[in-house]
Amino acid sequence: MQGVLRFVPGGVGAIAAFGVSKLLAWTDLSFDLGVFLVTYLVITIVVDRGLAGYGRGPRKS
């Protein structure tokens, strides 16, 4: 399961960036590519940080 979770942040980032790219399909190609890359990076980092604590168990205060 840990092996599959390694690919989740990138997959989610790619899907989100693809959706944003389709929303901005009417724009210039360079702008569309820039938004795709920024969206991919932001979503991938957010999901990666969210999954960082997966499997460690509950936090102790």
Side-chain angles (χ1 to χ4, degrees), residues 20-29 31-32:
V20 169
S21 176
K22 288 299 176 184
L23 290 174
L24 298 174
W26 53 272
T27 61
D28 187 33
L29 180 62
F31 179 76
D32 190 29

Side-chain angles (χ1 to χ4, degrees), residues 1-60:
M1 186 64 165
Q2 293 293 344
V4 174
L5 286 177
R6 191 175 56 177
F7 298 107
V8 169
V12 172
I15 291 169
F18 179 74
V20 169
S21 176
K22 288 299 176 184
L23 290 174
L24 298 174
W26 53 272
T27 61
D28 187 33
L29 180 62
S30 61
F31 179 76
D32 190 29
L33 180 62
V35 171
F36 179 89
L37 292 174
V38 168
T39 304
Y40 176 78
L41 287 174
V42 168
I43 298 297
T44 302
I45 290 170
V46 167
V47 172
D48 188 47
R49 288 190 180 179
L51 289 175
Y54 181 78
R56 289 187 199 160
R59 289 185 175 179
K60 296 180 181 178

